[in-house]
Amino acid sequence: MEMNIKLLSTEEKVNLVKGVSFFRMAKIPSQGFEGLFCLDGGTGLNFEQMFGDFCCVDEEKKKYFGSRTLQNVIAYYYAPEKLNEEEAELHAWITEELKKKCNIEFFSPGCFPTGLLMGATWNPEVVYRMAAALGKEAAAYGVDLLLGTPFVNMARDPLAGRLFEGYGEDPYHMTVLAPEMVRGVQEQGVAANVKHFAANNQESFRVGLNETISKRALYEIYLPAFRACVEAGVATVMSAYNQINGVPCTESKWLLQELLRGDWGFDGTVISDWGAVAHLDKAVAAGNDLAMPGPIDGTPLYEALEKGLLTEEELTAAAERVLQLIKTCKDLKEKAALANADAGMEGKELTAGELMKMSDEAAYRAAVEGIVLLKNEKDIFPLKGDVALFGEGAKAFFDCGTGSAGITTDRTGSLIKELQKRKGEDHVTFEEVTDRTEVLLVVVRKQGMEGNDHTDMFLPKEEREKLKEVLSLAKKLGKKAGVILNVCGPVDCSDFAETADGIFLVYLPGMQGARAAAALICGEENPSGRLTVTFPRRYEDTPTYLNFPGDGYHTVYGENIFVGYRYYDTKKMPVQYPFGHGLSYTTFTYGPVHTDKEKFSDEITVTVEVTNSGSVKGKEVVMLFVKDEAGCIRKPEKELKGFQKIELNPGESRDVCFRITKDMLASFDMDLDRWEAEEGYYQMIIARSATDIVGKKRVYGAWKSAYSYSVDTPMKVLYQNGQTHEIIVDLFKDYGLDIGCPEDIYEYTSHMPLRTAIDRAVNKLADAMPGLQEQIIEKANAALAGVEKT
């Protein structure tokens, strides 16, 4: 039965727009609706949340919600022998609830690679396959809505506690990959959720933090990935904890109504972050449809309705969008069932074993393609001889971060065991160097965490000490030394970047991370991951150094659009490892850069031939950056506008083509309050990374814009161009106008346009004939239009 908003009472509408438990929506008995169940997240099913919700909705077990007893059950769920009697009883009850929830045989959830590693794959297909596996696991556990699928907040500062959950520091890169998470999850019959809308880029004072951000930075840096997910059909958007320019995201009509629903056409449901709604009535009025978590007192809504602070229409609109989510979830399930039928799987469900195998393979492939080889000297990798491993991380990686992205599972691996499988137990030792040892390999870890930002970019003290010890030992013994960085984001590499012979960056790689790392280290797989965040030489070099995390509940995005490589490139700041960096076991050579035209008014195709000039098959990420040579609006040195990941056999060549449109070159002009692409010369730059440029081609964007030379161009711009300056001088001479008018403007108020100078000069004429000013302006515009913008 389809639910009809007209049949709902005010009380039922109020119940719809607020959660009933930590992860459940309210039931509507009169309509036969049992309520939707949501859960984090983008790296796997969060059992901690699920266990808590089990307790939250059970009268007898409610006492355990948030208790130490429950925390112990979560921590030792896969080692119940460590629990006391009361904990063991709760453990048994939770296990029975899990079995009821799971619609196939009970299985442990998968722990998938975090967003930063997924970004480093530069491969939309890999992201999709991982998301599909994640979606199937969620569907098996009866999850209707999977939160944080995807997490698209920008990597603004390397100290951000949740930086590991996002894809990186570039908005274009994110707009290509993030929608694949939406498609992969929703095609399995589970609603996706993009978070946190918007600019939720730090944990310090995150609930209520007021961020001062320019509209340009929002439009160009922090919003594009959200829009891309909306265009991909994401079912829900999660509103964020923070304020933007003094307005809470949960109460921002500009953000939730004008932009999201008006400009972007979003027709789904807005759900608050957990505890983000401070004023339920204001949130509902602004377009925040569902406040979470429950239980929430609905009194403020009734009072607001009575006082006229909230209209019945606003409440009805929010409730109707929640009803729409119910229908969307039903439709997604039906589409998934039809897709299974088309694939010959009608009426069949994957077994737990089959599902776990699918998830394992998707997680493995993602880890293989996302792990980055940062350094490889002295032929240290692939490993050829015996190896001695050091560090607790060699026994067990940090597979995931903590908080919403934390996964409770026994599906984990060990680098020691994986290397021993490949090389034999006698050839892989732990904390021991033998006469046969050729390489000392140390694993160092740094955890990512929700709720707190990091205090510095250094590795933890004990990890730095272990690293120093191993590097010193390798030097003393004359052995090769390698480092495995099992970290949540950029770290200060000054202690080891020069002295280590090889460095692998595995991030927080998920349940198959150890297997993937071993395969790469031993040469079974060829590294192809590339950085999507810059590793600065030191934290003091970062664009946000003076503004992060801010002053209490106030922070200023003073770097504006100059985030990540946009800042380092523009400032000519040396970095440790640039955006896009990553090595391979093979080599690639590039031919000249070609374009299908020298001038373009709408779109242009950029082509480059890439050849695998090495001896093994490998994957290369070909990047296209664009530089505006002389923009009127200040712009970064260059910006990513295209990329492709290609696989080539030794000796194989392939043409890689990019289509660049005029709209892709637009910037947001805050004076005009609109996007505008400038006429002028652009460089199409092919690169391996932000600093490794392999070729470029200069082309001309031949269209007229607000910045094309005209009488409305600032005098400063016209006077500093030889051709346009000469046109002005000749024009004033031909009409007998006082040349002092434009010269005075250039000297004292150079931001004023030529039009003002013409107006002043004509007004000085005692016998100016009617229409003279319009005639001069027409002639000036005609002459200026013929000058190429430089």
Side-chain angles (χ1 to χ4, degrees):
M1 180 178 74
E2 294 288 343
M3 284 193 287
N4 187 336
I5 190 69
K6 295 179 182 179
L7 300 178
L8 299 188
S9 66
T10 297
E11 181 182 1
E12 288 174 323
K13 293 175 189 176
V14 167
N15 288 337
L16 269 180
V17 300
K18 60 188 185 71
V20 69
S21 76
F22 226 70
F23 288 95
R24 297 174 200 257
M25 290 168 46
K27 300 178 182 180
I28 306 293
S30 69
Q31 301 292 307
F33 171 55
E34 290 300 311
L36 298 178
F37 179 63
C38 54
L39 197 72
D40 276 302
T43 54
L45 303 185
N46 189 315
F47 266 15
E48 179 179 2
Q49 295 175 350
M50 190 179 285
F51 294 178
D53 198 75
F54 287 164
C55 293
C56 186
V57 298
D58 186 275
E59 285 300 322
E60 183 183 339
K61 299 296 190 292
K62 190 177 293 185
K63 63 183 179 181
Y64 291 119
F65 183 74
S67 68
R68 173 60 64 183
T69 300
L70 178 57
Q71 290 302 314
N72 286 343
V73 171
I74 293 166
Y76 299 110
Y77 185 76
Y78 297 100
E81 68 278 2
K82 296 183 179 181
L83 301 175
N84 63 33
E85 185 176 348
E86 182 183 20
E87 292 164 351
E89 182 181 331
L90 182 60
H91 177 281
W93 177 80
I94 284 174
T95 300
E96 288 306 309
E97 292 299 305
L98 277 174
K99 290 178 180 178
K100 294 176 191 176
K101 190 73 178 162
C102 191
N103 55 41
I104 59 175
E105 315 100 286
F106 170 74
F107 66 96
S108 300
C111 177
F112 295 89
T114 54
L116 207 50
L117 185 142
M118 295 306 299
T121 69
W122 295 72
N123 192 331
E125 183 181 352
V126 166
V127 176
Y128 173 82
R129 289 183 178 178
M130 194 213 81
L134 175 60
K136 284 190 180 296
E137 289 203 4
Y141 266 103
V143 176
D144 300 298
L145 168 62
L146 197 58
L147 305 171
T149 52
F151 178 112
V152 297
N153 293 126
M154 193 62 58
R156 175 178 173 244
D157 186 282
L159 302 188
R162 299 183 75 174
L163 180 141
F164 69 94
E165 294 186 60
Y167 290 79
E169 67 189 29
D170 183 78
Y172 174 80
H173 168 268
M174 206 177 288
T175 62
V176 175
L177 297 189
E180 297 304 317
M181 175 70 86
V182 174
R183 297 184 183 100
V185 168
Q186 293 194 165
E187 287 178 13
Q188 315 315 311
V190 177
N193 168 262
V194 60
K195 69 180 186 183
H196 308 85
F197 193 54
N200 187 177
N201 303 302
Q202 67 183 67
E203 296 303 284
S204 300
F205 299 95
R206 65 176 181 168
V207 182
L209 175 74
N210 182 31
E211 302 172 342
T212 301
I213 316 175
S214 74
K215 197 170 182 180
R216 183 182 180 193
L218 283 169
Y219 273 73
E220 293 190 18
I221 305 296
Y222 299 104
L223 296 178
F226 287 99
R227 182 168 191 169
C229 290
V230 167
E231 291 171 350
V234 70
T236 67
V237 172
M238 182 184 289
S239 55
Y241 285 124
N242 52 283
Q243 301 179 47
I244 295 177
N245 299 325
V247 182
C249 290
T250 57
E251 300 174 17
S252 175
K253 288 189 177 182
W254 171 76
L255 193 66
L256 304 182
Q257 299 281 30
E258 295 176 27
L259 184 73
L260 179 63
R261 294 191 171 100
D263 294 349
W264 298 354
F266 177 64
D267 60 359
T269 309
V270 175
I271 302 172
S272 78
D273 202 346
W274 268 229
V277 171
H279 308 99
L280 187 56
D281 55 328
K282 292 181 180 179
V284 170
N288 192 101
D289 306 314
L290 176 61
M292 292 295 289
I296 295 175
D297 183 7
T299 301
L301 293 182
Y302 294 115
E303 292 178 347
L305 286 169
E306 186 177 340
K307 295 176 182 178
L309 301 175
L310 175 69
T311 67
E312 188 73 33
E313 290 75 17
E314 289 168 335
L315 174 62
T316 299
E320 191 165 21
R321 287 190 287 263
V322 176
L323 289 184
Q324 178 60 41
L325 175 59
I326 297 167
K327 183 178 185 302
T328 296
C329 289
K330 180 182 176 182
D331 291 346
L332 288 172
K333 289 178 173 63
E334 291 176 353
K335 287 180 182 178
L338 286 173
N340 284 338
D342 290 342
M345 293 287 290
E346 184 173 10
K348 300 177 183 178
E349 291 285 352
L350 291 175
T351 66
E354 291 170 336
L355 180 51
M356 287 193 291
K357 183 178 180 181
M358 174 187 174
S359 296
D360 286 344
E361 183 55 32
Y364 171 75
R365 183 47 50 192
V368 164
E369 294 215 16
I371 289 173
V372 183
L373 179 58
L374 294 176
K375 183 180 180 181
N376 192 21
E377 296 182 356
K378 296 184 181 178
D379 202 27
I380 185 173
F381 299 124
L383 282 180
K384 298 175 181 65
D386 287 20
V387 59
L389 289 168
F390 295 84
E392 289 301 306
K395 298 178 184 177
F397 281 161
F398 285 150
D399 289 334
C400 61
T402 64
S404 300
I407 307 301
T408 302
T409 186
D410 58 355
R411 293 164 69 182
T412 59
S414 163
L415 184 60
I416 294 174
K417 292 179 181 178
E418 290 292 343
L419 286 175
Q420 287 176 339
K421 286 180 188 177
R422 289 160 175 79
K423 301 181 72 66
E425 292 187 12
D426 294 340
H427 300 284
V428 181
T429 60
F430 181 66
E431 301 280 350
E432 178 187 4
V433 180
T434 70
D435 292 340
R436 295 183 305 182
T437 300
E438 294 184 15
V439 173
L440 278 61
L441 194 58
V442 58
V443 180
V444 287
R445 303 183 297 182
K446 186 174 184 178
Q447 183 60 288
M449 50 189 174
E450 181 177 0
N452 289 281
D453 294 316
H454 299 280
T455 56
D456 56 54
M457 258 179 57
F458 295 110
L459 291 164
K461 181 180 178 183
E462 62 275 14
E463 300 294 288
R464 294 180 73 189
E465 290 174 350
K466 172 60 71 173
L467 183 58
K468 183 178 179 180
E469 172 193 327
V470 174
L471 293 177
S472 296
L473 180 61
K475 182 178 181 180
K476 178 181 177 181
L477 298 176
K479 308 289 186 181
K480 298 175 187 176
V483 177
I484 308 296
L485 292 175
N486 175 206
V487 295
C488 55
V491 293
D492 189 309
C493 301
S494 56
D495 289 345
F496 57 91
E498 298 301 321
T499 52
D501 299 307
I503 304 171
F504 265 108
L505 170 65
V506 303
Y507 286 125
L508 306 177
M511 60 188 173
Q512 291 292 314
R515 175 187 164 203
L520 290 162
I521 289 168
C522 293
E524 292 175 12
E525 303 276 5
N526 193 345
S528 64
R530 302 291 184 267
L531 293 181
T532 57
V533 286
T534 303
F535 274 53
R537 290 186 175 178
R538 56 180 195 153
Y539 181 60
E540 290 83 353
D541 293 341
T542 61
T544 48
Y545 175 63
L546 295 177
N547 291 313
F548 186 93
D551 299 318
Y553 283 96
H554 299 271
T555 190
V556 176
Y557 281 43
E559 71 282 358
N560 199 21
I561 62 166
F562 294 92
V563 175
Y565 73 88
R566 286 168 165 76
Y567 170 82
Y568 299 109
D569 281 5
T570 305
K571 197 174 179 182
K572 307 292 189 292
M573 174 74 73
V575 299
Q576 190 69 61
Y577 300 111
F579 175 86
H581 175 72
L583 305 177
S584 170
Y585 292 148
T586 191
T587 55
F588 297 90
T589 55
Y590 288 71
V593 180
H594 298 284
T595 57
D596 62 340
K597 49 185 78 94
E598 300 294 321
K599 291 186 176 183
F600 69 107
S601 58
D602 185 32
E603 64 179 62
I604 191 169
T605 299
V606 183
T607 305
V608 64
E609 184 184 64
V610 183
T611 302
N612 183 343
S613 52
S615 58
V616 295
K617 180 191 290 187
K619 293 184 177 182
E620 175 76 327
V621 179
V622 185
M623 304 173 197
L624 172 66
F625 294 87
V626 175
K627 173 185 173 70
D628 184 346
E629 289 190 352
C632 291
I633 295 182
R634 190 180 183 193
K635 296 174 185 173
E637 175 69 16
K638 60 181 180 293
E639 295 179 285
L640 184 72
K641 296 297 180 182
F643 65 86
Q644 290 185 40
K645 192 170 196 177
I646 60 171
E647 184 173 38
L648 297 174
N649 290 311
E652 183 182 1
S653 298
R654 185 181 305 170
D655 282 345
V656 179
C657 299
F658 299 97
R659 175 176 170 267
I660 299 297
T661 67
K662 171 187 170 183
D663 288 345
M664 293 173 68
L665 305 180
S667 300
F668 189 82
D669 187 315
M670 292 197 296
D671 291 333
L672 300 175
D673 197 33
R674 68 171 187 257
W675 290 90
E676 192 80 18
E678 299 198 43
E679 175 191 6
Y681 282 101
Y682 292 87
Q683 293 179 20
M684 301 291 155
I685 301 169
I686 298 295
R688 293 190 180 97
S689 75
T691 61
D692 188 0
I693 295 171
V694 296
K696 62 180 71 173
K697 180 70 179 293
R698 189 175 191 239
V699 297
Y700 192 80
W703 55 80
K704 295 306 173 185
S705 73
Y707 313 110
S708 298
Y709 295 136
S710 73
V711 296
D712 293 311
T713 301
M715 195 65 69
K716 178 182 177 67
V717 174
L718 296 176
Y719 255 52
Q720 291 179 351
N721 178 294
Q723 284 183 272
T724 55
H725 183 208
E726 185 177 348
I727 287 171
I728 294 170
V729 172
D730 290 345
L731 182 75
F732 273 65
K733 182 180 179 181
D734 290 346
Y735 283 93
L737 302 177
D738 183 2
I739 193 64
C741 291
E743 289 178 349
D744 284 348
I745 288 176
Y746 174 64
E747 184 173 357
Y748 295 107
T749 53
S750 61
H751 64 282
M752 288 185 174
L754 173 59
R755 183 187 295 274
T756 301
I758 293 172
D759 179 62
R760 289 179 182 178
V762 170
N763 286 335
K764 281 188 174 186
L765 297 176
D767 55 349
M769 61 179 169
L772 177 62
Q773 184 168 334
E774 290 73 16
Q775 180 183 336
I776 296 171
I777 287 174
E778 183 179 352
K779 185 171 182 179
N781 278 333
L784 292 170
V787 181
E788 285 192 345
K789 191 168 176 293
T790 59

